[in-house]
Amino acid sequence: MDINTIATMAGVSRATVSRYLNNGYVSDEKRKRIAQIIQETGYVPSRQAQILRTGKTNVVGVIIPKINSTSISRMVSGLSKVLSAAGYQILLANTSNVAQTELKYLKLFSDTGSVDGIILSATMLTPEHVEALDNLAVPHVILGQKLDGHRCVYYDDYHAVRDVTLFALNHGSHPAFIGVTDEDTSAGLARHKGFLDACHARGIEPEARAQMVADFNVDSGYLICELLLAAYPEVDTLICATDRIAAGAMACLREYGKRIPEDVQVTGVGDSDLARVVTPTMTTVNHHYKSSGEEAARMLLDGLGKAKDSAQQVCMTYELFARGSTRWD
């Protein structure tokens, strides 16, 4: 079964069937006949032939740092919604937070011509990442990080954590911070700086023993909180870089007999489902992850076929949710 057979059975020209398959103009009468024949025969156009004919794969490569993250799943949901509506499929690549794997997928997607564009959600942007992005042969958008000269959708991590820290410090005087590596300029460096600047604005100089680094998971939040309690037992306000870290820290605090928020306040970032089911519910920041995915998809679609050096950038808004893990008026 091929396009010529479909044309003969429908009583139209081969060119008419080709226009139908490529969403070109076809009269309603002929469109109905072609659609009926395709449905009856189960004809599926050759993907390779379509690519050769149009120069498009109608596939977008999406590179993510981890597949079991609530924030990432929300981003992908937003991406999928917009791209699917535009007729694109997603080719998802999970890197497990390994920078070299991100670079491998960037090269694979670009060199093989398997995708029309790339959306990269990277944990960090190394010099190798910048070089690879500068040399990509297809349009791309960076989601979650800011890089000058490239299309980006990113979050205001600095002000988000600064605001939630200032809020918590209305009822606290001995703050501590559990973050992630500062090599991650968004979730790491920017959130850490937001914490420090909020403390300085309140005349507090956080001690080194009150600032620790965890991994992006609940278990690490628990273990690092144990170390924090040993090093800085006077802590009364704990600012965490993610909801998962905060949830682990809350479990640890309870095991050590600390009341939340009476003895220690705890905040997170992400407004995940976890933040709403822990006891007490968690004060956190919503970065509108699904909306950011939608915005990144629209940005990529807008960039397809345009100049490579287009560098549109969007900073997402955020919203602070005050819940039971902090003391507030």
Side-chain angles (χ1 to χ4, degrees):
M1 181 67 64
D2 58 19
I3 190 172
N4 293 317
T5 306
I6 296 295
T8 299
M9 294 177 68
V12 299
S13 69
R14 185 183 189 282
T16 300
V17 177
S18 179
R19 287 198 303 275
Y20 172 86
L21 294 174
N22 289 286
N23 296 316
Y25 173 75
V26 178
S27 68
D28 289 342
E29 180 185 352
K30 292 179 179 179
R31 182 175 292 277
K32 290 178 182 177
R33 292 210 304 270
I34 296 170
Q36 182 179 354
I37 295 301
I38 288 176
Q39 183 178 10
E40 291 175 352
T41 61
Y43 171 71
V44 178
S46 166
R47 184 165 184 81
Q48 289 75 20
Q50 283 185 317
I51 293 172
L52 288 172
R53 185 170 60 252
T54 66
K56 294 175 58 180
T57 66
N58 286 102
V59 175
V60 170
V62 178
I63 303 172
I64 59 173
K66 52 184 175 180
I67 203 164
N68 62 339
S69 162
T70 301
S71 58
I72 295 297
S73 68
R74 289 178 180 174
M75 293 178 201
V76 173
S77 176
L79 291 170
S80 179
K81 175 183 175 182
V82 173
L83 293 174
S84 295
Y88 284 83
Q89 295 178 312
I90 287 178
L91 186 56
L92 201 61
N94 178 36
T95 66
S96 300
N97 281 319
V98 178
Q100 288 302 313
T101 305
E102 292 173 350
L103 295 171
K104 180 185 74 174
Y105 279 122
L106 283 172
K107 180 174 175 60
L108 176 67
F109 286 158
S110 181
D111 291 353
T112 60
S114 57
V115 300
D116 294 332
I118 298 171
I119 295 176
L120 170 66
S121 177
T123 300
M124 62 187 72
L125 295 176
T126 66
E128 290 78 15
H129 282 80
V130 176
E131 181 180 1
L133 290 164
D134 284 342
N135 293 308
L136 281 181
V138 295
H140 59 278
V141 173
I142 302 166
L143 177 55
Q145 302 275 2
K146 181 181 180 183
L147 180 63
D148 291 339
H150 295 262
R151 298 182 186 92
C152 302
V153 177
Y154 61 99
Y155 310 107
D156 193 353
D157 288 288
Y158 168 78
H159 285 101
V161 173
R162 185 178 186 274
D163 283 357
V164 77
T165 303
L166 287 171
F167 172 80
L169 287 178
N170 286 330
H171 298 279
S173 57
H174 292 86
F177 182 75
I178 301 179
V180 297
T181 174
D182 281 357
E183 291 179 358
D184 181 333
T185 56
S186 295
L189 184 62
R191 295 180 189 182
H192 190 189
K193 190 174 188 302
F195 165 77
L196 292 174
D197 286 357
C199 291
H200 295 157
R202 293 295 170 84
I204 300 170
E205 186 63 41
E207 299 184 41
R209 62 192 175 107
Q211 301 171 62
M212 296 191 176
V213 174
D215 294 328
F216 288 87
N217 58 65
V218 174
D219 288 344
S220 184
Y222 184 103
L223 294 172
I224 299 303
C225 186
E226 271 193 314
L227 298 177
L228 178 68
L229 288 173
Y232 190 59
E234 58 266 48
V235 58
D236 65 5
T237 301
L238 178 55
I239 310 299
C240 298
T242 73
D243 286 353
R244 285 178 176 267
I245 292 173
M250 289 172 67
C252 177
L253 289 168
R254 284 193 296 269
E255 295 237 350
Y256 278 76
K258 300 290 186 179
R259 297 172 302 161
I260 304 170
E262 293 85 356
D263 298 325
V264 182
Q265 303 180 93
V266 182
T267 70
V269 174
D271 192 29
S272 62
D273 292 342
L274 191 60
R276 291 185 288 276
V277 300
V278 293
T279 303
T281 53
M282 187 188 301
T283 293
T284 185
V285 177
N286 187 315
H287 271 314
H288 305 298
Y289 290 116
K290 183 176 181 180
S291 296
S292 72
E294 294 173 356
E295 184 64 38
R298 285 191 289 266
M299 188 180 291
L300 182 70
L301 292 173
D302 183 61
L304 293 176
K306 291 190 176 181
K308 180 181 176 181
D309 59 354
S310 174
Q312 180 186 2
Q313 298 191 345
V314 172
C315 180
M316 300 297 295
T317 60
Y318 60 88
E319 188 173 2
L320 193 160
F321 287 96
R323 299 193 179 106
S325 67
T326 50
R327 301 184 290 273
W328 49 293
D329 298 325

